[in-house]
């Protein structure tokens, strides 16, 4: 008998909820590159792709761990020595987070999936900043929840609109997310703002989720760790080694809970269950992460210094491009320029970005991919490349705009 398989194999409807604009643009760039177009990638927040390299002492710690046969599965919640080093780091913020309240993940990304998987039931709402890093929205929706956006205000350096945030709380709200410094805007929130968000969470008995992956990449002003103000609030923090320690491809992050033995006991147990099904985080990379936390911080100072120069160069270049304007980001490595689309041939930021990519090879991400409501009419670019590459990119952007638009 001859079997014949026909028809398309269906997938779970929830897959349709998952979108990640950053990598979508990258797919078109990869296609163009294959056909010989020179691509200038300003779309992905990976410093290691440019001239920021993983410090030698961290690489050596990884190699040593591998050569010493630290290549086995480890504890599901992570290695005790790494959890201890993280607990010590957090105590520097005045936060009393014990090792038992820290769970190591394969990148924050895995932590986001685990956390939303544990917290979000169908119909639950989570307040997320807009514009914002798209993973949160994607996973909240994937698990049947609703990502309810709160406005961040460009004219205010992209600080949260506190009244709007307050008005978005409903009976179904479970948690509020704070990303500081923010991706895609690079906004660094002052202590007053962080306090106000903490207060809203406390008053409404919400969980405050703080993603502070860019906490060490600060240009002006000072960073306020949310946990330092989280006295009477259910608090869950996320952080990782990708950015400040230049370990993007190694995939390591962590989740920490304040008062994990009391109010967050069930959440912690849920996270540990999920940690067990995925077996464990990468063992040798955890050894390297201990070295990173205990080692020299010179590479971070050097990175911030070089990034500041690249940011200032880019801001100046943006001023010279008709249609574009930008706020000054005080942290991370992103610019989020506004595109004045009025009177142009482009109806949306996505059209602008895709045309720019096809015609010049300069790859940026449309702002609407970070939140249609408050991210539209913008694009996100990294200022990670050296000045000559940034210079070339801006020459191309300038020429592109001139070709299509006359004021
Ligand atoms: C705000 C934010 N959180 C999390 C991540 C993902 O981090 P990881 O590499 O640890 O998965 C990123 C990556 O760009 C990010 O910008």
């Amino acid at each position: 008998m001859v079997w014949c398989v026909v028809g398309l194999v269906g997938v779970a409807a929830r897959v349709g909820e998952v979108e990640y604009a950053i990598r979508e643009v990258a797919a078109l760039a990869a296609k163009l590159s294959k056909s010989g177009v020179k691509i200038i990638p300003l779309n992905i927040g990976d410093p290691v792709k440019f001239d920021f390299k993983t410090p030698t002492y961290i690489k050596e710690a990884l190699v040593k761990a591998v050569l010493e046969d630290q290549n086995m599965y480890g504890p599901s919640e992570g290695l005790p020595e790494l959890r201890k080093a993280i607990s010590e780091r957090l105590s520097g913020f005045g936060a009393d987070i014990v090792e038992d309240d820290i769970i190591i993940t394969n990148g924050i990304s895995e932590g986001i999936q685990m956390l939303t998987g544990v917290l979000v039931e169908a119909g639950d709402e989570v307040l997320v900043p807009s514009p914002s890093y798209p993973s949160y929205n994607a996973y909240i929706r994937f698990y049947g929840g609703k990502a309810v956006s709160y406005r961040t205000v460009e004219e205010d350096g992209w600080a949260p609109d506190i009244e709007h945030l307050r008005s978005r709380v409903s009976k179904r709200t479970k948690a509020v997310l704070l990303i500081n410094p923010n991706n895609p805007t690079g906004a660094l929130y002052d202590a007053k703002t962080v306090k106000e968000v903490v207060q809203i969470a406390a008053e409404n008995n919400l969980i405050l989720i703080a993603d502070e992956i860019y906490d060490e990449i600060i240009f002006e002003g000072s960073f306020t760790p949310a946990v330092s103000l989280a006295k009477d609030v259910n608090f869950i923090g996320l952080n990782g080694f990708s950015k400040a320690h230049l370990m993007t491809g190694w995939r390591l992050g962590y989740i920490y809970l304040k008062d994990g033995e009391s109010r967050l006991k069930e959440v912690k147990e849920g996270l540990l269950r999920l940690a067990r099904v995925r077996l464990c985080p990468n063992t040798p990379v955890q050894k390297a992460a201990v070295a990173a936390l205990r080692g020299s911080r010179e590479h971070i100072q050097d990175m911030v210094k070089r990034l500041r120069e690249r940011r200032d160069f880019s801001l100046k270049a943006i001023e010279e491009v008709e249609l574009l304007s930008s706020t000054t980001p005080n942290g991370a490595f992103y610019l989020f320029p506004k595109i004045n689309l009025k009177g142009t041939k482009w109806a949306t930021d996505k059209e602008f970005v895709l045309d720019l990519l096809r015609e010049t090879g300069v790859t940026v991400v449309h702002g609407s991919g970070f939140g249609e409501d408050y991210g539209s009419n913008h694009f996100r670019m990294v200022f990670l490349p050296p000045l000559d590459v940034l210079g070339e990119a801006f020459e191309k952007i300038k020429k592109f705009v001139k070709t299509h638009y006359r004021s």
Side-chain angles (χ1 to χ4, degrees):
M1 194 199 302
V2 179
W3 288 96
C4 177
V5 181
V6 288
L8 204 61
V9 178
V11 297
R14 62 178 172 268
V15 174
E17 299 296 331
V18 177
E19 268 179 55
Y20 195 77
I22 305 166
R23 296 250 165 185
E24 278 171 31
V25 179
L28 174 60
K31 205 167 135 198
L32 289 169
S33 173
K34 254 194 193 157
S35 65
V37 177
K38 182 185 169 192
I39 297 295
I40 304 186
L42 305 181
N43 53 319
I44 290 188
D46 186 350
V48 189
K49 281 207 165 153
F50 299 92
D51 56 341
F52 299 96
K53 296 301 172 197
T54 319
T56 304
Y57 79 90
I58 303 179
K59 289 184 200 162
E60 283 170 352
L62 176 67
V63 171
K64 183 167 177 283
V66 171
L67 292 177
E68 286 178 357
D69 279 321
Q70 300 293 319
N71 301 308
M72 63 288 278
Y73 291 137
S76 295
E77 63 279 10
L79 293 179
E81 63 260 46
L82 178 57
R83 295 162 86 209
K84 182 161 188 288
I86 293 167
S87 158
E88 285 168 15
R89 173 175 198 265
L90 293 168
S91 70
F93 296 155
D96 186 20
I97 306 283
V98 294
E99 287 150 59
D100 265 0
D101 288 338
I102 297 166
I103 298 165
I104 312 297
T105 56
N106 293 300
I108 291 191
S109 303
E110 188 188 46
I112 299 171
Q113 181 172 14
M114 284 164 62
L115 188 57
T116 45
V118 165
L119 290 181
V120 176
E121 293 253 50
D124 281 348
E125 297 178 1
V126 179
L127 300 173
V128 294
S130 177
S132 152
Y133 183 59
S135 261
Y136 288 93
N137 297 42
Y139 278 123
I140 292 163
R141 289 202 295 263
F142 183 75
Y143 287 111
K146 197 168 159 199
V148 175
S149 63
Y150 63 89
R151 189 162 96 103
T152 62
V153 187
E154 183 164 23
E155 296 72 28
D156 247 352
W158 292 107
D161 177 340
I162 295 296
E163 282 322 304
H164 189 243
L165 167 55
R166 203 184 294 281
S167 74
R168 301 291 265 172
V169 177
S170 83
K171 282 202 188 85
R172 296 304 308 258
T173 311
K174 191 108 192 226
V176 53
L177 169 70
L178 186 74
I179 303 179
N180 183 33
N182 182 272
N183 174 7
T185 60
L188 172 70
Y189 305 145
D190 60 17
K192 180 172 170 279
T193 305
V194 176
K195 206 174 201 161
E196 284 170 333
V197 177
V198 170
Q199 253 164 14
I200 292 176
E203 282 163 17
N204 295 283
N205 200 23
L206 308 177
I207 298 170
L208 176 67
I209 301 171
D211 177 333
E212 298 175 336
I213 193 170
Y214 300 103
D215 62 356
E216 300 208 54
I217 306 175
I218 307 289
F219 306 114
E220 287 93 22
S222 58
F223 166 72
T224 306
V227 71
S228 68
L229 301 174
K231 302 275 178 288
D232 300 308
V233 70
N234 297 322
F235 178 89
I236 300 176
L238 293 123
N239 212 324
F241 296 86
S242 287
K243 314 289 176 169
H245 295 290
L246 299 162
M247 291 161 57
T248 42
W250 293 3
R251 315 303 305 122
L252 205 71
Y254 52 95
I255 303 177
Y256 56 103
L257 302 93
K258 196 165 170 291
D259 300 329
E261 284 315 311
S262 50
R263 291 175 303 197
L264 290 172
K265 198 166 174 240
E266 285 189 11
V267 175
K268 183 172 144 187
E269 188 44 43
L271 287 169
L272 288 171
R273 276 172 189 248
L274 290 193
R276 285 177 215 126
V277 255
R278 59 84 211 243
L279 301 196
C280 70
N282 184 317
T283 303
V285 170
Q286 288 183 83
K287 295 274 180 191
V290 175
L293 287 178
R294 302 225 182 275
S296 157
R297 319 196 65 71
E298 253 171 54
H299 65 279
I300 302 177
Q301 285 156 13
D302 170 66
M303 174 162 63
V304 170
K305 185 166 161 265
R306 286 194 282 153
L307 281 175
R308 186 184 289 113
E309 197 185 348
R310 294 172 194 194
R311 177 200 64 171
D312 292 344
F313 175 88
S314 304
L315 283 168
K316 209 153 166 267
I318 284 173
E319 268 177 27
E320 289 165 17
V321 184
E322 223 172 333
L323 304 182
L324 299 187
S325 59
S326 177
T327 57
T328 300
N330 288 329
F333 34 64
Y334 306 104
L335 281 164
F336 199 62
K338 184 176 184 169
I339 323 162
N340 184 3
L341 292 171
K342 230 191 214 157
T344 70
K345 61 177 280 208
W346 305 286
T348 64
D349 51 355
K350 192 167 181 182
E351 282 181 17
F352 176 92
V353 160
L354 293 180
D355 263 4
L356 178 70
L357 172 55
R358 285 189 207 103
E359 288 184 30
T360 69
V362 175
T363 315
V364 297
V365 189
H366 43 291
S368 48
F370 300 89
E372 295 225 353
D373 39 9
Y374 304 108
S376 292
N377 299 344
H378 292 78
F379 66 81
R380 189 196 77 170
M381 58 162 280
V382 297
F383 51 84
L384 290 164
L387 295 180
D388 58 329
V389 178
L390 286 170
E392 188 186 348
F394 279 111
E395 274 314 307
K396 290 188 172 192
I397 294 173
K398 212 193 263 181
K399 212 165 138 206
F400 168 78
V401 170
K402 261 203 183 130
T403 308
H404 293 284
Y405 178 77
R406 300 208 196 293
S407 52

